[in-house]
Amino acid sequence: MASQPKYDVAIIGSGIGGSTLASILARQGLSVIVFEGGQHPRFTIGESMILETSEAMRALAEFYDVPELAYYSSENYYPVIGTQHGVKRHFSFVHHTVGEQVDVEKSLQAVIPRLPYGHEIHITRQDSDYFLTSVAVSYGATIMQNTFIKDINVGAEGVEIITAKDVVYHAEYVIDAGGMKSILAQKQNWRHRDCMTHSRTIFTHMIDVPCFNEVGPNREQFHHPYRLSEGTLHHIFKGGWLWVIPFNNHPDSTNPLCSVGLQLDPRLYPQRDDLTPEQEFRDFIQRFPDLAAQLERAKPVRDFMRIDRLQYSAHHIVADRYALLAHAAGFIDPLYSKGLYVTHASIFLMADLLIKAKQTGDYSAAAFAPLETMTLNYINMHDRLVASSFKSWHNYKLWQVYSVVWLQGAYLEYLRLVMNRFRAAGDRAKYLELMKPHKLAGGGFDKFFEIQEQIDALMDAVNPDDESDVDRTVAEIRRLFDVFPWMPTTIRALLYGKNHLPDNKLRLNLLDKRVGFMGSGAYRQHFFGDESMLRLLVLAAKDEWKYSIGGVKRQRKTKARLAWQVQAKLP
C-alpha cells in the first residue's frame, strides 16, 4: 500500500457540510484532506433555505473569518453566487383531500421577512456545493474527488483512511460526513431507525411546472400576500406531502428547473414495486385533482429517484478520534428544511472542538462529548415536530393549531440565534455558551419546551378520526397557547382561522415593555440578557447594512478569498 503524509483532520464527503467544515479548519490553520466519492458539480437534494440556517451561516462566516460561508444566506448575494438560485419569500402549505378541489381556507402562508437580510433562497446544490468545495481548496484544504473510501482504522496515535485503490492516508481525527451509508456508523453498529417519523420519497427535477395559482385558486382567492410559486410550496394530505421548490421564480432567474418530491408514509402507502418510480409518482398524484393539474405537463429532466424509509439516527455521534456529521449522524424528513440548520449548528461546535484538540492533543470521545449531546438533541426534536405534523394532516383542525408549534418554535429559535451573535460580539466561547440550551426549535427557552412537550403528548393521544376527540384536543392546545404570553399576535391569529402571516409584521404592541418584542422577566433575560433596545437597534442597523446588496459587494471586494479583486493575504 502507498502511504501519504499525516493530516490534522480528514473529512469523508464534500457536500455543503464537509466543504464548509474544511474551509473553516483550513482557514484556522489546520491541515485538512477531504475525500469525495463522486465529482463536482453533482446533483443533490436539500435546496430550501430557512432563517435559522441562514443565520447559522452568518455566524460561521463571522466567528471563523470565512466570509464566503454566508453567500447562500439571502437573495442579496445573487450578484456573487448567480441567478440560477430561486427566491424564497414564504413557506406555504395547501391541504388536499382525495378527490376534492382545495379549500382556500385550508392553507397557510408563512411569509419570510425581507428585512433585515433579504428573502431566503432556493439553492441549486450542484452549484453551491461545487463553489464551497472551491472555497475549501482556496483556503488550503486538499480535496480528493472520485476517491472512494474502503475502510477506516482508528488507533491510539491516529486514524488510517484506506481508499478503494489501497492508498493509505493518515490523520489525527476523521469526520464522517458520508450520509446514511456512513462507514463509521456501519462499522460501529451505531445506525438505528428507532424514529417516530415514517416517510419514503420519490423526487426529481422538472421543467414546465406552473405556479399553483395558475391551475388552482389564485392568490386573491387564497388571500395570501405572495403567489405560491414565490416560495417553497408544500402540498399536504393524509399520510404525506409533496414539495415544489422552483429555481425559476424571479425575473432575473437563469435556471428553468423546479425540484419536486413526494413524501409518503409507507405504513399507509407501501412502495409499488410493480411500477417504476415515475409511474408510481404519476399514479399517486391523480388522487388530488388540483395537484395533478399542476404537474400534468411538467417534464422530468433526470430520472425519478425512489428511496424507502428515510428516517435514521445514531446511538452515538462521537468516539475517540472520530465523529459523524450531517446526514451521517441522522436524517428525519425535509418537511421543514431543518437538515442544513442541524448541519451548520453542528459544524460550529465541531470546528471549535477540533481547533482546541489541535492545541491540546486530546482527541478523545470525552473531549467531543458536547457535540454528541447537541446533535442528538437536534435530531430528536426534529423527529418530534415532523411526526406530529404528519399526524395532524389527517384532520385539518389539528394542523391549524399544530402548525403554530412549528412557527413559534422557529420564531424563537431564529430570534435567539441572532441575539446570540449580537451578544457574543465576536467571542466564540461566549457564543457557544449561549448555544448550549438550543434544541433545534424554541431558542433554548424552557417555557417553550414545556408547552411543546404538552402539545406533542396531546398529539400522541388524539384519534384524528374521532371529531369529538379532535375538537377537545384543539381546544386544549389553544388554551395552552392562550396562556403563553411570548407569542407574536401575528402567529397567535393563526390559531383562530388566519391563513397567512402578514408581509409587514410590525405592530405597536411590539413596544409593550411587558409582552412586546423584548418582553420581560425570564423571557427577556433568556433572549436579550442585559442588552438595551437602543443598543440592539444600533446593532441591527449595522447588520442590515453589512448584509445589504451594497454591504455584500463591499465584503467581496475587501475580504472574500475568491474575489478576483482581492490580493489575498491569508495564509
Side-chain angles (χ1 to χ4, degrees), residues 311-428:
Q311 292 69 44
Y312 59 87
S313 185
H315 296 295
H316 295 286
I317 303 300
V318 304
D320 291 346
R321 293 193 176 273
Y322 63 89
L324 308 182
L325 174 66
H327 294 167
F331 185 81
I332 300 303
D333 187 274
L335 174 61
Y336 294 124
S337 305
K338 300 285 190 183
L340 287 179
Y341 172 44
V342 177
T343 295
H344 285 77
S346 299
I347 287 171
F348 198 111
L349 178 55
M350 184 177 284
D352 186 75
L353 293 172
L354 286 167
I355 292 168
K356 290 175 180 175
K358 167 70 172 176
Q359 297 167 348
T360 65
D362 185 0
Y363 294 97
S364 67
F368 286 78
L371 179 65
E372 178 163 301
T373 300
M374 189 217 79
T375 303
L376 293 180
N377 279 342
Y378 275 55
I379 291 173
N380 292 339
M381 175 66 83
H382 192 188
D383 188 26
R384 178 72 267 186
L385 286 171
V386 174
S388 289
S389 296
F390 262 77
K391 186 173 184 179
S392 75
W393 301 333
H394 288 236
N395 189 308
Y396 187 79
K397 288 184 286 187
L398 290 172
W399 165 242
Q400 185 178 56
V401 293
Y402 193 78
S403 64
V404 175
V405 178
W406 158 61
L407 274 170
Q408 180 67 12
Y411 164 72
L412 293 177
E413 187 76 6
Y414 177 60
L415 172 62
R416 169 83 174 192
L417 287 174
V418 175
M419 290 303 110
N420 288 351
R421 180 163 57 88
F422 284 2
R423 291 168 66 185
D427 184 338
R428 195 162 67 226

Side-chain angles (χ1 to χ4, degrees), residues 208-279:
D208 298 336
V209 178
C211 175
F212 187 70
N213 293 130
E214 296 175 6
V215 298
N218 61 37
R219 183 184 67 80
E220 290 76 15
Q221 289 172 306
F222 273 114
H223 303 294
H224 291 162
Y226 291 104
R227 286 166 58 85
L228 288 169
S229 57
E230 293 183 83
T232 306
L233 173 57
H234 306 69
H235 292 290
I236 58 177
F237 46 83
K238 180 179 179 180
W241 65 285
L242 183 145
W243 79 70
V244 179
I245 302 175
F247 303 112
N248 62 343
N249 62 347
H250 58 96
D252 297 324
S253 174
T254 54
N255 187 345
L257 299 180
C258 181
S259 179
V260 178
L262 178 63
Q263 306 292 119
L264 299 172
D265 186 334
R267 298 169 299 184
L268 295 178
Y269 310 111
Q271 183 169 305
R272 292 284 306 277
D273 292 326
D274 58 319
L275 302 176
T276 67
E278 180 171 4
Q279 287 171 339

Side-chain angles (χ1 to χ4, degrees), residues 78-120:
Y78 281 151
V80 178
I81 61 175
T83 53
Q84 66 270 37
H85 307 280
V87 73
K88 177 172 176 173
R89 307 192 198 286
H90 58 76
F91 245 114
S92 287
F93 299 81
V94 174
H95 190 270
H96 295 258
T97 301
V98 173
E100 297 181 11
Q101 304 290 324
V102 299
D103 180 346
V104 295
E105 297 305 319
K106 294 182 177 181
S107 66
L108 168 63
Q109 185 168 100
V111 174
I112 295 168
R114 183 177 63 83
L115 295 176
Y117 303 114
H119 284 120
E120 298 295 308

